Amino acid sequence: MDKIDKIKKHSVLIVDDANANITALTDILKSGYTIYMAKNGQKAVQLAEEFSPDIILLDIVMPEMDGYEIITALKNSEKSKDIPVIFITSLSDSGNEEKGLELGAADYITKPFSPAIVRFRVGNQIRILELIRNNERLSLEDQLTGLPNRRCFDRQIDREWKRALREKTFLSVLLMDIDKFKNYNDTYGHQQGDAAIQSFAKTLDRTLKRPGDFSARWGGEEFIALLANTELKNALDIAEQIRRNTENTEVPCSDGFITKLTVSIGVNTYRPGDNNTIDSLISGADTALYTAKNKGRNMVCSFL
């Protein structure tokens, strides 16, 4: 895929009942943004929920639903509540501006439109949005390995648990611990210990190839994997692949010396229902991991 294909334009939803205003704003923004258009509140909410535009430009004076009613509907929807809304209006009363800001508007653009002002105000909201998204991404990422962190895993398992509950499918968890990691750290130093953790993270990432597989750093030398729509037998097979790939991976030191790792893995599988919980699913995997370590490490054990 070419680099150009990978670049996704930011998108803007223009909501105005006047064709002339939609045309003017589209002409100003079309070179830099994907444009969606709506001429009434119902369509605006529908498009916002369907396409999740980055910014919404919303006229205040509209038939049926006015801009204030529309922004209230947008902010009450889980799918559109976080989309920044810029009001576009000819109203100059500060009371109108105050009301819009109280309802959650991010900014105002007044008519008649100045192309430079429109581009600046939209661009400013995009920059703020990118900062928020980047901070959110960093808050969900383990900085050493680049894998999702525990907070991110908690979000993912909550979503997958609800999906499995609806669809009556199995959900498997693998809890993994790099064997004798403290000894490794004491022998080769903390910098090499970090390299070992990074090496295992890469092994884990390249082993879990299916779209429904999700792995994260659980903490320290522990990692966790969530396997959607996966029964126990398949989960054990995948865990064994991870164990084997880890055992066969060389972890070089800065002086050229080659080290190796092994991993113990606990597996648990549930079909979500009334008698089990996310906590009990993970707790079962932890119990199985404890069994694997007690039996000599470098092995896979299941809870059941």
Side-chain angles (χ1 to χ4, degrees), residues 31-65:
S31 64
Y33 301 91
T34 298
I35 305 295
Y36 303 107
M37 294 166 279
K39 300 179 78 172
N40 59 65
Q42 184 178 357
K43 186 67 173 177
V45 173
Q46 177 190 333
L47 290 178
E49 292 183 343
E50 182 178 355
F51 294 106
S52 297
D54 295 296
I55 302 290
I56 297 174
L57 299 184
L58 175 60
D59 190 21
I60 292 180
V61 182
M62 301 267 290
E64 299 176 9
M65 294 174 69

Side-chain angles (χ1 to χ4, degrees), residues 7-290:
I7 298 174
K8 182 180 179 294
K9 279 186 176 182
H10 289 103
S11 57
V12 177
L13 170 60
I14 301 171
V15 186
D16 200 307
D17 62 315
N19 286 329
N21 290 334
I22 289 177
T23 299
L25 289 168
T26 300
D27 287 344
I28 293 169
L29 297 171
K30 65 183 179 182
S31 64
Y33 301 91
T34 298
I35 305 295
Y36 303 107
M37 294 166 279
K39 300 179 78 172
N40 59 65
Q42 184 178 357
K43 186 67 173 177
V45 173
Q46 177 190 333
L47 290 178
E49 292 183 343
E50 182 178 355
F51 294 106
S52 297
D54 295 296
I55 302 290
I56 297 174
L57 299 184
L58 175 60
D59 190 21
I60 292 180
V61 182
M62 301 267 290
E64 299 176 9
M65 294 174 69
D66 66 19
Y68 301 129
E69 293 172 304
I70 295 170
I71 193 173
T72 299
L74 291 167
K75 295 302 178 183
N76 285 335
S77 168
E78 192 64 31
K79 294 181 178 179
S80 59
K81 65 183 179 66
D82 295 324
I83 303 173
V85 175
I86 301 176
F87 271 132
I88 49 177
T89 182
S90 57
L91 302 176
S92 57
D93 185 348
S94 62
N96 289 309
E97 183 173 344
E98 181 180 347
K99 180 177 180 180
L101 293 172
E102 286 177 350
L103 291 171
D107 204 349
Y108 268 78
I109 296 174
T110 56
K111 302 174 186 176
F113 304 123
S114 160
I117 292 296
V118 170
R119 283 191 286 268
F120 174 81
R121 293 192 183 277
V122 171
N124 189 49
Q125 289 302 318
I126 290 292
R127 285 188 288 274
I128 293 170
L129 192 63
E130 286 301 305
L131 283 172
I132 293 170
R133 286 174 176 172
N134 188 54
N135 287 338
E136 177 70 5
R137 180 186 62 80
L138 290 174
S139 75
L140 297 173
E141 180 181 288
D142 175 61
Q143 298 304 297
L144 178 61
T145 65
L147 288 179
N149 60 19
R150 189 166 183 162
R151 178 172 175 239
C152 187
F153 180 86
D154 288 342
R155 288 188 179 188
Q156 184 70 11
I157 197 170
D158 184 62
R159 285 192 293 263
E160 291 296 344
W161 183 271
K162 290 174 181 175
R163 189 204 309 270
L165 191 60
R166 289 194 308 269
E167 299 176 359
K168 301 187 184 329
T169 55
F170 287 94
L171 202 59
S172 292
V173 162
L174 279 54
L175 198 56
M176 296 155 278
D177 193 310
I178 299 174
D179 292 328
K180 299 183 178 178
F181 185 73
K182 183 180 184 304
N183 291 345
Y184 187 97
N185 243 356
D186 291 344
T187 302
Y188 301 107
H190 291 289
Q191 187 172 351
Q192 181 60 28
D194 286 348
I197 287 175
Q198 290 169 330
S199 174
F200 177 75
K202 290 176 183 176
T203 298
L204 184 59
D205 191 49
R206 71 170 180 265
T207 306
L208 299 177
K209 299 176 181 177
R210 305 177 310 165
D213 296 342
F214 185 90
S215 60
R217 189 178 180 195
W218 195 239
E221 67 273 21
E222 284 194 328
F223 292 77
I224 195 165
L226 177 65
L227 311 179
N229 195 21
T230 303
E231 297 187 31
L232 180 59
K233 181 182 182 305
N234 290 337
L236 289 169
D237 289 342
I238 291 168
E240 178 58 25
Q241 289 176 26
I242 295 168
R243 188 205 64 78
R244 189 167 56 250
N245 289 345
T246 302
E247 188 178 45
N248 293 332
T249 298
E250 295 182 343
V251 185
C253 296
S254 57
D255 60 3
F257 185 75
I258 298 298
T259 65
K260 286 200 169 188
L261 304 172
T262 61
V263 65
S264 299
I265 305 177
V267 181
N268 194 20
T269 300
Y270 280 166
R271 178 184 281 159
D274 294 335
N275 297 322
N276 50 50
T277 64
I278 291 173
D279 287 344
S280 63
L281 174 62
I282 296 172
S283 177
D286 189 45
T287 299
L289 171 61
Y290 186 77

